[in-house]
Amino acid sequence: AAAAAAILAQAISTQGPSGNLPERGEWPRLRAAMGQCAMEPANELCCLFRGPLPVQLAATVLFHLPSASRIRGAAPMNAYHTSVVVGSSEYTFSAAGISILVPLQSHEMLKTDTEVTDFGFTSEDPRRMVSALQSYFAPGTYDLLRKNCNSFSDCALFLLVRQRLDPNYRRLERLGKAGQKKIGLMNILSTVGLDYKENPAADNFKLDNVIEHLQALS
């Protein structure tokens, strides 16, 4: 993993303005989408549950790293922002905690195509989902690599339809974790405006432990 991270870090460091990394002026918008800037949380769930409701995953590419294809033959690597749409509401996680928005609202600022995937229907009340997850995804606990919107989408999908988020949506994060420990991959990204610092409030978060807890609720 360290060798792969080193190759990717070298590729990132050589990307110029004509490459696929965002230019410096684009990073405030991307930081907001990734949760480093707080979105407005929803304080009330005012609608009565009338299930079953359709469940969809919304995914938008934040930025693209074509040089990742040099890593042991891996496909080009994307960083994603994801959210889960249940019926007429979108659910996502940011520095503000769990937010409830109109569908695809958190993706609009990215100004690029959003891929929407159907996950069938759920008989779970979305209010129960929020109640079950809000202690794990509380305001102020967001971490870019260790506890982000994709972590939340994974848990929400499991609770709603007993399916997991495709690991491809989290490839860059997994490599980023190794890179931060071994060679400072995120420090390299900070040179183009993406500053990463571990959030101590996310230190005890373990995704697999949350999934086990959700499984016990059924």
Side-chain angles (χ1 to χ4, degrees):
I7 296 172
L8 177 57
Q10 182 178 6
I12 292 172
S13 65
T14 59
Q15 289 286 332
S18 61
N20 285 275
L21 280 175
E23 296 183 13
R24 181 176 293 274
E26 293 292 291
W27 282 108
R29 175 171 57 83
L30 297 181
R31 285 199 298 270
M34 287 185 284
Q36 290 183 291
C37 299
M39 290 180 286
E40 289 295 326
N43 295 319
E44 296 183 2
L45 294 169
C46 59
C47 299
L48 295 176
F49 175 63
R50 296 183 177 89
L53 295 174
V55 177
Q56 297 173 307
L57 175 73
T60 303
V61 174
L62 291 168
F63 56 88
H64 177 68
L65 294 175
S67 300
S69 60
R70 301 175 188 173
I71 301 176
R72 298 179 182 177
M77 187 175 295
N78 293 324
Y80 287 93
H81 166 61
T82 66
S83 64
V84 174
V85 178
V86 186
S88 60
S89 297
E90 175 189 10
Y91 299 82
T92 191
F93 174 64
S94 70
I98 299 173
S99 294
I100 307 172
L101 312 167
V102 298
L104 306 187
Q105 182 178 343
S106 70
H107 299 259
E108 289 177 353
M109 68 184 73
L110 298 174
K111 301 185 184 303
T112 188
D113 292 339
T114 297
E115 179 183 80
V116 178
T117 304
D118 292 328
F119 274 78
F121 290 80
T122 183
S123 295
E124 290 284 351
D125 189 332
R127 292 171 296 185
R128 179 176 180 269
M129 176 192 71
V130 173
S131 177
L133 295 179
Q134 62 186 359
S135 63
Y136 295 105
F137 295 94
T141 64
Y142 179 95
D143 186 287
L144 177 63
L145 292 181
R146 301 180 297 160
K147 185 180 179 182
N148 58 21
C149 59
N150 299 321
S151 309
F152 172 80
S153 294
D154 197 359
C155 292
L157 287 175
F158 183 80
L159 183 58
L160 293 168
V161 292
R162 288 299 186 268
Q163 298 185 55
R164 299 292 301 273
L165 183 69
D166 188 325
N168 284 330
Y169 290 115
R170 308 187 72 232
R171 289 178 61 216
L172 185 62
E173 299 156 38
R174 294 198 303 272
L175 186 59
K177 290 179 184 179
Q180 178 65 18
K181 294 177 181 178
K182 303 296 183 181
I183 60 169
L185 172 61
M186 297 310 293
N187 292 333
I188 294 174
L189 288 181
S190 70
T191 64
V192 293
L194 179 59
D195 296 322
Y196 172 68
K197 294 181 180 179
E198 289 189 351
N199 183 355
D203 285 349
N204 295 325
F205 179 79
K206 303 294 182 185
L207 179 60
D208 289 342
N209 291 348
V210 179
I211 295 296
E212 288 181 6
H213 170 73
L214 297 178
Q215 191 168 20
L217 292 179
S218 60

